[in-house]
Amino acid sequence: MMVNGARLVPDPSGALWWPGEKTLVVADLHFEKGSSFATRGRNFLPPYDTRATVEALARLVRHYTPKRLIALGDSFHDDGAAGRLHIDDVARLKRVAEQTELVWIAGNHDPVPPDGLGGRVEEEVVIGPLRFRHIPEGREAGEVAGHLHPKATVVVRGHGLTRRCFVTDGVKLVLPAFGAYAGGLDVRDPAFLPLFRRRFTAWMLGDARVFPVPAARLGAAESEATA
Amino acid sequence: MSLLAPKLPESPLPDSPLPEPFAGWFAGRGWHPHAHQVELLAAAEAGHSALLVAPTGGGKTLAGFLPSLVDLTRSPRADKRSLHTLYISPLKALTVDVHRNLEVPVGDMRLPIEIETRTGDTPENRRVRQRVRPPDILLTTPEQIALLTAHRDAPILFGQLRYIIVDEVHALAGGKRGDLLALGLARIAGLAQQPRRIGLSATVADPETLGRWLAPLAPPRLVRGAPGPKPAVRILASKQYIPWAGHTARYAYPEILQAVREAKTALIFVNTRSQAELIFQELWRINDDNLPIALHHGSLEVGQRRKVEAAMARGDLRAVVCTSTLDLGIDWGAVDLVIQIGAPKGVSRLLQRIGRSNHRFDAPSRALLVPSNRFEVLECRAAIAAIAENDLDGDRARPGARDVLAQHILGVACASGFDAAELHAEVASTLPYSDLDRAEFDRIVDLVATGGYALRAYDRYRRIRQGPDGKWRVVHPDVARLYRLNVGTIVEEPMIRVRLGNRVLGEVEEYFIEQLVPGDTFVFAGEVLRFEGLRDMAAFVTRAPGADAKVPAYAGGKFPLSTLLAARVRRQIADAARRKTSRDQVDEWLQIQAWRSVLPEPDQLLVETFPRGNRWYLVAYPFEGRLAHQTLGMLLTRRMERMRFRPTGFVASEYALAVWGLHRAERIDALFAEDMLGDDLEGWLAESSLLKRTFRHCAIIAGLIERRHPGLEKSGRQVTFSSDLIYDVLRKHEPDHVLLKATWADAAHGLLDVRRVADMLVRVQGRIVHRALDRISPLAVPVMLEIGKEPVWGEAQDAMLAEAADVLIEEATRLV
């Protein structure tokens, strides 16, 4: 995958690997999304989403040994999320922060990411041709963002398959949400329209590979969220 | 259900066994009470509960109400704050119908008895009033029982209850709704002083077990109605060529229309909504006389359905094409013919449908079976033979669902609170939960309180808590409000409204819309529609008359071929092998099979292997229904993978299963060994989308996640997450969680039918007949024709994504 001249590797987990800069990027971790349901409506979702997300993150760090790990915002689902973290998960996160330079980009869910977990907080980060921020604005070339949780549906032989996906037009890129419970927004939603002037490609996450599918090939939007 | 089913008096009228004014009322109409009506009254007056098993008609409902009406006439209620009689039916519409029918005798005799209905449609102010000042007799549904018992006032409301009448018991017991009702009845037993329970049931294979379900503590008197005349059932003797496969019965449409023409009013039953749409369309295409034929199925807009029902009641219609929505209940006296298109699936089910015609005791029901392919001809013959021999499907008992119990426990906590030991004893007194031990009960209490997770993350958000008196109560009124919103065991698939301009035509399953691309056409509400796009949770469509509809692939009915009918179909096949002459095209087909391959004996499993194109095929014929075959197919392909036969796909039908791959399958006995249900099953379950759907249903019923309430989504009250994801995460981090076990138990009986696969594997050990053929056999053709119409599971999805991606590469590399 080429974005504004940078060669990038989309990982089937939803993370982005930039070999040239030894940089790993993940978007929308939404730590403690599960427990946020308990605080508001007393819905008891399995409280293992943070664990699943942190473990996946730790696996990626072991695999790629990145120099730098960028979390593209909305890493924490709400203000109280950091306070609800299980101590084991805190310890796991700190271990990750010891192994790599960890950058928390601020998001709309976590305008002030908590400290004490390692890493540093930034509004946005520019590295070479790429600019990393939470909410995509679609103005500058090289913008890499999250926020939208893109997913796409493709119809093959009469069957619709829906997967999370990367979306890029070769100039800008939106990452899929990495968090275990994060929902998705179909790439044909109007929210994506202003971001990509040229026809875009959805890089859909398979089990072992990521599959590029052109916008023209994508099927009907799935309605938001199956609760 | 008709109350007024007369039996003409035989010779001079003997002394009536009924008290006045009932004796006079019967006599005034020239009626004599049925023996079962008298017997039931005597049993109830002696203080017993009773189960009345009788065919449709025959004054079953009046029999059920007689003890209560007599008692109320003799001694009116002293305490007007308590109900006297509770009537529970599985259908809202049935409560309304029974209400109307009860008004006749009560009005005629001027009995001072108040009768009211209470369903989800009853306005809130009336529901409140009903709690404070209840009628003598309340007609309601299982969900309302749950809500009423969960109320603070329940001890007063049920304090003086004398009778509980459960209608269509056979349709309730054995399912999750039945579990909920059994728990509700146990609750009421604790509040009232020994109310008698009266169950009304269609003829069933095992009335004793049904009786124990109804009244587990004191087995009820079993009262049997006289069997009505045997129904007259025949198979359409078509002059046309009967297809080898397919489910449309297209060959028979002119003959079906002719049958409608010759009947007064016909109900045309089909097994799926898409079949209903298709047949409705096609009948109208050839309906040159413009016979008034209507359509009725569960996804049509309610107003539309009510219109059809009203037109039917007025006698304005000659036929209604319908699905299981009309299986139970309403009395449409004029129906004189039931047409069943496609497989009957089960004997009891078929009898229930047939009973919709000639809803009178003394006239036989008439039915016409229209098989849509050759295997279904065998199934129809098997069903007719079973009806003649009175051989009915028996349901296997299943333990009470744990998710339903969780819901019930929260309900009890909302009412007066509970002592755990007492509630456990009460729950274990019901038949479905008689095996539930205290430790498991406590785990479910914990599930209700905090989600029951080992991580203990939600202890500070608990919903119920033990007070100083040791009783469990809800922590906040909000929890009770949440309970009331989520009560019930019916979880609808996520549905999408279909909008034509400003009109809402009805709803379809979300997964159906997902596979449409704008411009695709499909049949819905009797019209060909073009899908334009999805906006605000609605599918916008335009009319596309004359266009070729992309009719949805046959998704199969909800109910698989019953075990009893499957065994009889196997016998039909074996019998055909012994016949020397052939009577028709179906016999011919089987005899060519006997010559080309073999016709298996009833206790054998035939497995054929043959090459075709550049693949090798394996076709097995277990006759265990599509769901069980799908599960078997998943397990077989995993095992074949390991044995290096390189399987690449499979397809399942009600009768057979075909697997294909790059190499010829050998060692067939080892392939079908019983241990298939161990690790392979575990491994597959990890990926099964069916299991994720089952999990979602269990989580909603248990109250761990909220139902989707239309209208709330917009306001942001409803939050979004994918239940697939929470299933994956829970399975990985806490595989022993009680809800996963509940999901697994559901799957064993429901969508995966694992129990049937297990029974089949045991049955066929040492009895597998393998034929290695040089080409496809006649018996294999039907299932082979299904290839390509099936949904795709698991690993194959990556291959399909790759296919979509290849299109990109092709597009990108194309030079022009």
Side-chain angles (χ1 to χ4, degrees):
Chain A
M1 179 195 286
M2 296 296 290
V3 177
N4 204 29
R7 193 179 71 81
L8 306 174
V9 181
D11 188 277
S13 66
L16 182 74
W17 174 234
W18 186 3
E21 284 288 332
K22 284 185 78 63
T23 295
L24 189 66
V25 190
V26 290
D28 299 275
L29 300 172
H30 285 270
F31 288 144
E32 293 302 309
K33 175 167 178 173
S35 60
S36 77
F37 286 85
T39 63
R40 281 183 295 164
R42 292 195 168 89
N43 277 263
F44 296 144
L45 304 193
Y48 301 102
D49 55 323
T50 302
R51 181 156 306 182
T53 307
V54 175
E55 279 175 359
L57 211 49
R59 260 197 309 279
L60 284 170
V61 168
R62 272 200 304 279
H63 180 252
Y64 289 107
T65 56
K67 192 174 78 184
R68 183 188 298 120
L69 170 61
I70 301 176
L72 275 186
D74 284 2
S75 305
F76 300 86
H77 187 71
D78 56 58
D79 287 349
R84 296 196 305 272
L85 285 172
H86 193 275
I87 48 166
D88 293 351
D89 295 333
V90 172
R92 284 188 187 94
L93 262 177
K94 282 184 171 164
R95 268 201 300 283
V96 169
E98 283 159 15
Q99 290 163 32
T100 182
E101 178 195 342
L102 178 54
V103 182
W104 303 105
I105 302 256
N108 52 312
H109 279 253
D110 54 351
V112 189
D115 45 355
L117 292 169
R120 63 189 159 88
V121 175
E122 301 278 359
E123 280 300 314
E124 54 177 63
V125 174
V126 179
I127 303 170
L130 301 182
R131 176 183 295 270
F132 298 91
R133 59 159 62 111
H134 178 58
I135 299 180
E137 292 172 2
R139 284 196 294 270
E140 298 106 325
E143 179 182 77
V144 177
H147 182 60
L148 291 174
H149 300 206
K151 67 175 179 179
T153 297
V154 67
V155 181
V156 184
R157 284 182 257 151
H159 303 293
L161 297 177
T162 300
R163 295 299 172 90
R164 290 186 287 164
C165 63
F166 295 84
V167 195
T168 182
D169 57 358
V171 181
K172 285 157 289 181
L173 171 68
V174 178
L175 266 66
F178 190 84
Y181 288 171
L185 180 67
D186 194 277
V187 292
R188 289 150 47 118
D189 188 276
F192 288 92
L193 273 181
L195 301 180
F196 300 104
R197 255 178 306 150
R198 303 177 4 177
R199 292 173 62 199
F200 60 82
T201 299
W203 293 71
M204 298 175 68
L205 307 185
D207 289 336
R209 280 177 55 196
V210 179
F211 301 93
V213 180
R217 183 77 179 75
L218 297 173
E222 184 188 1
S223 72
E224 176 55 356
T226 29
Chain B
M1 201 133 299
S2 177
L3 292 172
L4 311 176
K7 185 174 150 194
L8 294 175
E10 298 127 21
S11 55
L13 206 65
D15 280 346
S16 177
L18 299 181
E20 289 301 339
F22 297 89
W25 184 74
F26 268 78
R29 302 193 150 222
W31 295 355
H32 185 71
H34 290 297
H36 63 255
Q37 292 173 326
V38 178
E39 205 182 319
L40 189 66
L41 179 61
E45 301 221 296
H48 299 291
S49 289
L51 175 65
L52 172 58
V53 174
T56 319
K60 193 159 54 174
T61 316
L62 182 57
F65 279 99
L66 260 183
S68 160
L69 295 178
V70 168
D71 188 50
L72 271 168
T73 308
R74 271 196 205 123
S75 45
R77 270 189 306 168
D79 184 351
K80 292 282 186 195
R81 295 175 311 158
S82 168
L83 290 162
H84 177 276
T85 296
L86 204 49
Y87 163 89
I88 302 151
S89 126
L91 291 181
K92 272 193 274 194
L94 199 51
T95 62
V96 177
D97 202 44
V98 165
H99 190 188
R100 200 169 40 233
N101 288 331
L102 261 187
E103 291 289 355
V104 177
V106 169
D108 284 354
M109 290 181 268
R110 295 164 192 263
L111 304 179
I113 296 176
E114 299 162 11
I115 305 167
E116 289 180 8
T117 58
R118 178 192 180 95
T119 67
D121 299 338
T122 307
E124 178 60 25
N125 57 353
R126 190 182 311 161
R127 280 198 254 176
V128 171
R129 201 262 301 136
Q130 283 175 340
R131 269 202 318 266
V132 186
R133 210 179 54 75
D136 295 293
I137 299 176
L138 188 68
L139 314 171
T140 188
T141 59
E143 290 72 24
Q144 293 296 321
I145 298 296
L147 286 171
L148 285 171
T149 52
H151 202 272
R152 271 190 324 278
D153 299 340
I156 302 168
L157 185 64
F158 296 109
Q160 303 296 319
L161 186 73
R162 303 292 303 270
Y163 284 99
I164 301 172
I165 303 164
V166 185
D167 205 352
E168 312 268 14
V169 195
H170 62 284
L172 283 168
K176 286 194 176 184
R177 262 182 120 197
D179 293 344
L180 186 69
L181 181 57
L183 292 167
L185 293 180
R187 191 96 272 268
I188 292 173
L191 301 171
Q193 296 149 1
Q194 303 295 318
R196 272 147 278 185
R197 300 181 188 182
I198 295 172
L200 310 175
S201 168
T203 320
V204 287
D206 181 8
E208 282 74 22
T209 304
L210 197 59
R212 278 198 292 135
W213 181 90
L214 177 71
L217 297 179
R221 290 284 173 83
L222 184 60
V223 178
R224 289 175 194 271
K230 284 260 181 213
V233 189
R234 63 187 180 87
I235 299 176
L236 178 76
S238 180
K239 293 181 184 63
Q240 306 300 314
Y241 177 80
I242 299 172
W244 294 59
H247 301 276
T248 60
R250 196 181 291 274
Y251 74 94
Y253 293 158
E255 289 160 306
I256 292 169
L257 197 63
Q258 185 55 33
V260 170
R261 212 173 276 130
E262 287 163 13
K264 249 191 337 243
T265 310
L267 283 182
I268 304 174
F269 278 107
V270 296
N271 290 329
T272 66
R273 190 193 66 217
S274 55
Q275 275 175 307
E277 290 282 359
L278 178 73
I279 284 162
F280 176 73
Q281 279 267 313
E282 295 296 319
L283 285 181
W284 269 100
R285 208 188 286 266
I286 55 172
N287 185 7
D288 296 332
D289 311 344
N290 283 319
L291 298 174
I293 299 175
L295 177 66
H296 192 287
H297 61 68
S299 321
L300 290 178
E301 197 257 327
V302 182
Q304 181 87 8
R305 272 184 275 163
R306 295 292 165 272
K307 253 190 238 163
V308 172
E309 287 158 19
M312 190 72 182
R314 284 195 307 271
D316 289 351
L317 297 177
R318 291 291 297 279
V320 180
V321 180
C322 56
T323 59
S324 55
T325 48
L326 295 185
D327 270 6
L328 290 178
I330 321 301
D331 177 19
W332 283 333
V335 174
D336 61 340
L337 178 66
V338 163
I339 302 175
Q340 162 73 33
I341 297 180
K345 308 264 190 171
V347 180
S348 304
R349 211 175 136 65
L350 180 62
L351 274 176
Q352 186 97 41
R353 287 185 165 181
I354 292 174
R356 296 295 102 206
S357 95
N358 264 343
H359 215 155
R360 274 187 16 246
F361 186 61
D362 43 1
S365 302
R366 281 202 314 133
L368 177 65
L369 308 186
V370 184
S372 55
N373 59 52
R374 295 180 174 201
F375 267 123
E376 286 184 358
V377 172
L378 297 176
E379 193 180 321
C380 288
R381 284 181 190 161
I384 288 179
I387 289 173
E389 292 163 32
N390 232 340
D391 193 5
L392 300 172
D393 307 302
D395 286 333
R396 259 179 107 136
R398 47 171 271 292
R402 279 18 183 184
D403 49 348
V404 175
L405 178 58
Q407 188 181 94
H408 178 73
I409 290 174
L410 184 56
V412 180
C414 291
S416 50
F418 63 87
D419 172 87
E422 280 170 27
L423 185 59
H424 171 248
E426 181 183 297
V427 165
S429 75
T430 66
L431 185 62
Y433 297 95
S434 51
D435 289 338
L436 182 85
D437 62 29
R438 178 64 197 274
E440 196 181 355
F441 176 82
D442 287 342
R443 269 199 297 282
I444 296 170
V445 171
D446 184 39
L447 173 90
V448 175
T450 67
Y453 300 107
L455 196 62
R456 312 302 320 162
Y458 301 142
D459 282 1
R460 64 195 135 146
Y461 309 112
R462 50 178 55 249
R463 292 190 291 204
I464 60 174
R465 161 175 294 136
Q466 238 175 336
D469 58 351
K471 280 195 165 191
W472 291 85
R473 291 188 186 82
V474 293
V475 296
H476 194 273
D478 275 358
V479 177
R481 189 189 50 80
L482 199 75
Y483 165 79
R484 284 195 292 275
L485 277 173
N486 285 305
V487 90
T489 63
I490 300 164
V491 179
E492 303 286 345
E493 281 295 318
M495 300 295 272
I496 302 261
R497 284 190 306 281
V498 179
R499 302 191 69 124
L500 178 68
N502 288 328
R503 245 179 81 209
V504 174
L505 297 177
E507 295 186 316
V508 292
E509 286 86 357
E510 186 174 295
Y511 66 75
F512 173 71
I513 292 293
E514 271 170 33
Q515 62 173 13
L516 296 181
V517 185
D520 276 351
T521 51
F522 63 104
V523 179
F524 187 76
E527 298 188 70
V528 181
L529 303 170
R530 181 181 293 108
F531 176 60
E532 299 293 350
L534 196 66
R535 234 175 23 244
D536 303 337
M537 296 296 292
F540 283 80
V541 298
T542 51
R543 285 205 175 90
D548 252 351
K550 173 192 167 183
V551 177
Y554 176 74
K558 264 189 278 182
F559 309 95
L561 173 68
S562 75
T563 311
L564 171 96
L565 214 43
R568 280 179 170 269
V569 170
R570 284 197 297 271
R571 236 181 294 158
Q572 291 261 341
I573 288 176
D575 288 348
R578 288 188 200 92
R579 260 198 307 279
K580 291 289 166 258
T581 55
S582 63
R583 300 167 300 183
D584 54 29
Q585 17 178 343
V586 175
D587 277 4
E588 261 165 43
W589 167 58
L590 292 178
Q591 276 165 12
I592 301 172
Q593 166 71 17
W595 172 67
R596 290 264 305 110
S597 172
V598 69
L599 286 172
E601 289 296 315
D603 59 347
Q604 291 175 332
L605 173 67
L606 172 61
V607 178
E608 296 172 333
T609 48
F610 53 85
R612 191 162 190 280
N614 48 7
R615 292 156 157 183
W616 282 94
Y617 288 83
L618 176 151
V619 179
Y621 306 89
F623 297 96
E624 296 292 349
R626 178 185 296 262
L627 301 176
H629 292 163
Q630 238 154 28
T631 298
L632 184 62
M634 292 307 312
L635 299 178
L636 266 184
T637 46
R638 290 180 89 89
R639 179 162 285 196
M640 287 168 77
E641 189 83 57
R642 267 209 315 281
M643 292 166 87
R644 316 219 174 220
F645 300 135
R646 308 278 305 277
T648 51
F650 80 89
V651 65
S653 75
E654 286 285 283
Y655 313 101
L657 166 74
V659 189
W660 56 89
L662 303 180
H663 298 303
R664 170 170 226 148
E666 288 154 6
R667 288 176 284 148
I668 303 296
D669 282 314
L671 206 50
F672 283 86
E674 262 181 87
D675 58 357
M676 195 189 298
L677 292 167
D679 295 347
D680 283 334
L681 185 59
E682 288 286 315
W684 171 50
L685 287 176
E687 296 153 24
S688 165
S689 62
L690 289 174
L691 210 68
K692 290 173 184 177
R693 233 157 78 195
T694 307
F695 173 76
R696 174 176 160 268
H697 289 193
C698 287
I700 288 176
I701 291 170
L704 289 195
I705 60 181
E706 275 176 86
R707 271 168 209 274
R708 293 212 297 190
H709 295 289
L712 290 184
E713 278 143 354
K714 266 290 155 85
S715 65
R717 283 263 319 108
Q718 206 86 26
V719 273
T720 58
F721 52 84
S722 156
S723 39
D724 287 9
L725 300 179
I726 65 173
Y727 169 80
D728 287 339
V729 167
L730 183 57
R731 202 185 59 81
K732 190 152 165 234
H733 289 88
E734 196 177 338
D736 294 331
H737 191 265
V738 58
L739 207 57
L740 288 175
K741 289 184 175 163
T743 305
W744 165 246
D746 261 23
H749 294 269
L751 290 169
L752 307 182
D753 231 353
V754 176
R755 284 287 282 277
R756 254 177 105 178
V757 179
D759 290 352
M760 186 274 294
L761 289 176
V762 173
R763 195 185 73 230
V764 304
Q765 292 309 308
R767 299 195 182 84
I768 294 175
V769 181
H770 175 213
R771 283 285 182 276
L773 306 174
D774 56 356
R775 61 194 160 97
I776 183 172
S777 76
L779 214 54
V781 170
V783 70
M784 295 283 286
L785 286 171
E786 300 261 340
I787 292 173
K789 297 181 194 163
E790 279 286 286
V792 183
W793 317 100
E795 288 150 18
Q797 294 190 349
D798 255 27
M800 287 170 60
L801 281 174
E803 205 172 291
D806 286 346
V807 175
L808 168 77
I809 294 159
E810 193 233 1
E811 242 177 62
T813 53
R814 208 186 298 148
L815 293 175
V816 238

